[in-house]
Each structure stands twice: as structure tokens, then as C-alpha cells.
Amino acid sequence: MPFDRRDQAVRAAVEQGLVSEEQPVAALLDVTGIRASAAALRAAFAAVTDAPVLHAFAVKAAPLVPVLALLRDEDIGAEVASPGELALARTAGIRPDRTVLDSPAKTPAELREALELGIALNADNPQELARIDALVGTSTVRSPLGLRVNPQVGGGAIGALSTATATSKFGVALRDEGARDWVVRACLDRPWLTRLHTHSGSQGMPLALMTRAIGAVYELAEEINTAAGQQQIDTIDIGGGLPVNFSSDEQTPTFAEYARLLKEQVPGLLDGRYGLVTEFGRSLLAKHGTVLARVEYAKTAGGRPIAVTHAGVQIATRTVYDPASWPLRIAAYDSKGRPKSGASVVQDIAGPACFAGDLLAEARPLPLLEQGDVIAALDTGAYYFSNHYGYNSLPRPGIYGFTKGPDDAAATRFATVRAAQSLEEIVAESGGAQPDALLTP
């Protein structure tokens, strides 16, 4: 988010008590920034194709009903991968015809629900397709149905997020012996199978590799349509995965750059014959989130300053366990929420969890942090404060959307997206209602 809007929001959060001794952690979402990202996504693809495009937000990136409702208001649908995510999308008012179900482990009940609601559904494998066969029978199908394929183009910089490798668990492995012929025949035998789906990875994936994967699926669609003697495959779901720049405030690569590359490398995909579905998540929200935490203590060890905060592994799980892949930018603010000045000092930003590696940042040059100051973990709008890790029974922080006032921090308005988790809620979800459950036979 633009730093002036962020700085104003941080100061307002401190002044309005969202971050305090009693609530030492809070997460902020920039409503204006989210709307701008949604508009940029729509404009990017409108510039390269006249065909219909459904932009379906990957709910896993921010499973929060008010966020989904905000995106719905920006003409963004939902890509869901579980009954829970579908329930969130429906609660947010996202219509079935704006929803896509993807998952490598759908149960018969999930498949049945999707078909009853008319939700778009991408089958992951031959066994799942056989289940759909049984459910469809001879009845009319309302749901757009597709098949996920793995083009096996290789992985990106983060192996765990690369889904188009030779042995990925997702989709039908297109280069395996006999697989391509099976996919073509499976489609020809099922006239209601009208979509192909692929998703080659997320953070760490170069655009060229993502584009090559989509090109491979486009060529498969052309092959199926030629064999069918008509355009049976009418929609290609290109997934999401646009990487995010975590090193500065610049939003790069952009949706427009990606769309132009697709137009250049896979022109037939965008000539109007194929409808599109996209499933972006992180790239829509990451830049528009900030986690704030008060410095509880400032200390030194081995000559290095350490700022101990209440934001650690319970929020930034990936960063703590894999800091090389998921580095976080940290901004320093004083106790009143104003940008902190002064000479940079190499220091650690630590979380509250009971293990040594619970660090948001290590050996980071920042103005020397003191007790009562506030740190801001930037670019945390996706996957950070919404996917909680319950280490040490640390509570989930409150999440607040903000809109900037005309000039000063006092005019910044906050709306509660999700209230901070209470101790009573932690006890309740940890079996507190049946403390003696194991004491009786």
C-alpha cells in the first residue's frame, strides 16, 4: 500500500487503541488498495480478450467473509477448496455461478453439493471423474465441469508451492505414458466436460514458466476440439499464482504484464474463442495488509539488540520456518505510531513463542527499537493473519479494514473484519467444555 496511507493508518490504530498494552497485536487491511487491485485485474484481462472472464479469488489466501464480500462487490468470485471455504463464500453472498471448486481430495458429498448448487467443478483425477460420472448419470448438468491437468513444466523457486512438477499431486500428469490420450478420450466420451484447468504454482514461479504451462493446456484444448469436430472445450481455467514482490512497495509483476505476456505467447487463448477463469489470491491482497505489534521488551544478547514482540510464528508461520523463501519487510514506529527515525542498527525482531527460531526478522538494520514502540510487518495481506497457527495457544489477532480520511490519522475509519480471539474462545476450542473427558472409562 502507498506508504503515506499506511503511516496514517498505523498512527490511527495506535491513537484509537487497536494496538495497546491490552491488545499488543493487530492486523490492518487497506480497503482502498484492495479495490484498486481488483480493478487492475479486471482491466488487465479486459485489455487482451473480449471473451467472458471469471476472476475467482483463491479463498485460502484470506478466508474472511468481509474480505470475500468486498471482492464480490468488485465483481470477483471465489475459488474454494473445501466445504469450509465454500461456506464462507456463500455467507459472503458469492453466487454459485461465480464459484469454482478445486481440491485434490473432494468427497462424494462435496461433489454432490457442487452439482446441486450449480458450482463450477474441476475434477482432479480419473477416480474423481468416475464419481462424477455416477452422480451425473443421465441428468442435465447445471455445473460447468472441467478436468485439471498437470502440464509438468517444472517447478519454481519454492518447491512446496510448485504444482506443475513431474510428480505433483495435482491433476492428471499430462506427460505420463498414455495420459494425454486418456484425457482426450475422457473428454470425447463426456460432452459435458467443457473445461480444462491448470495451476502451475504460486510464489517463486517465473511468469515465463506459468505462461508455458498455460500454453500447453491451450494446445490440449485445441487437440480435443479438433478430435470432437466442434468446440467442446469452451473455457480454460488458468489458475492464479502471480508472484508478489516482497522487497519493496512496488507492485510487480503486474496483472497487466502477465496478461500481455499471455497475449504474446498464447494468442489463440485470447482471440475470443475461449472463456477464462482466473484464481489469483496472494497477488490481490498481499500488498494491502500490515501486521502491527508492540515491542514488549528491548534487550541485547551477544551484543545484538532484540525487540521482543507478540507477533511471531502464530502469524508468520512460513516466514519463521522458512525465512529465506518468505522474508518480511519490517517498518519501525514509535510508541505513538509515528515513523521512527534515527541511525539504523542491526537487530532482531522476535516473536513470543517458546523456541529460538521465532523471529520475524534477523539481523535487520532499523532505527533502534525501544520498549513500547510498534513494528509493522508489511505485505501481509494474504496468508499471514488469516491462517493462524496455534503455537503456545497464542490468540488470533483482531483484523481491521481501514479507509483513509482526507488528511490526518483521526479521520481514518476502521471496520472490524474479525475480532481478536478471547481466552474463553481458546479454552472452548481446546476441549474446555469437557475437561474430565479422559478421566472416565
Side-chain angles (χ1 to χ4, degrees), residues 285-308:
L285 258 69
K287 287 293 182 184
H288 309 304
T290 303
V291 173
L292 305 181
R294 291 183 77 255
V295 176
E296 193 68 43
Y297 297 109
K299 57 191 290 188
T300 61
R304 180 181 294 175
I306 303 171
V308 180

Side-chain angles (χ1 to χ4, degrees), residues 85-329:
E85 290 184 357
L86 176 56
L88 296 178
R90 296 186 70 188
T91 302
I94 298 175
R95 302 193 315 262
D97 64 344
R98 307 284 296 167
T99 305
V100 181
L101 173 62
D102 296 317
S103 163
K106 306 180 198 72
T107 66
E110 290 176 65
L111 296 172
R112 189 176 302 110
E113 181 181 28
L115 292 171
E116 290 173 352
L117 292 172
I119 289 171
L121 172 63
N122 291 313
D124 180 83
N125 57 70
Q127 291 180 350
E128 183 180 328
L129 193 55
R131 282 181 170 177
I132 295 173
D133 285 339
L135 291 170
V136 169
T138 59
S139 62
T140 301
V141 179
R142 289 195 300 136
S143 294
L145 296 174
L147 183 66
R148 179 167 183 168
V149 295
N150 170 13
Q152 295 174 293
V153 295
I158 304 175
L161 299 187
S162 298
T163 57
T165 59
T167 57
S168 170
K169 72 179 185 181
F170 293 99
V172 178
L174 198 55
R175 295 184 180 181
D176 282 13
E177 184 177 356
R180 190 182 191 94
D181 290 341
W182 180 87
V183 170
V184 173
R185 175 47 53 190
C187 291
L188 296 179
D189 289 344
R190 298 167 177 84
W192 41 261
L193 211 51
T194 59
R195 294 184 169 194
L196 292 178
H197 171 229
T198 193
H199 174 73
S200 53
S202 185
Q203 190 67 19
M205 290 294 295
L207 294 190
L209 193 59
M210 293 169 58
T211 302
R212 190 163 52 138
I214 293 165
V217 175
Y218 162 74
E219 291 173 359
L220 176 61
E222 292 282 273
E223 181 179 341
I224 293 168
N225 288 339
T226 297
Q230 61 179 335
Q231 187 167 1
Q232 176 177 334
I233 303 298
D234 59 21
T235 300
I236 297 180
D237 184 335
I238 67 172
L242 191 70
V244 170
N245 165 34
F246 285 107
S247 62
S248 75
D249 279 325
E250 184 181 5
Q251 295 190 42
T252 182
T254 66
F255 294 120
E257 289 169 345
Y258 183 36
R260 286 194 297 267
L261 184 61
L262 285 171
K263 185 72 170 179
E264 174 189 318
Q265 298 295 322
V266 198
L269 176 70
L270 302 169
D271 64 9
R273 291 177 297 127
Y274 289 96
L276 295 182
V277 177
T278 73
E279 300 175 353
F280 297 106
R282 178 181 290 106
S283 50
L284 272 169
L285 258 69
K287 287 293 182 184
H288 309 304
T290 303
V291 173
L292 305 181
R294 291 183 77 255
V295 176
E296 193 68 43
Y297 297 109
K299 57 191 290 188
T300 61
R304 180 181 294 175
I306 303 171
V308 180
T309 79
H310 290 271
V313 71
Q314 86 279 23
I315 292 170
T317 312
R318 285 172 168 171
T319 294
V320 167
Y321 286 123
D322 188 5
S325 297
W326 301 100
L328 274 179
R329 292 190 297 142

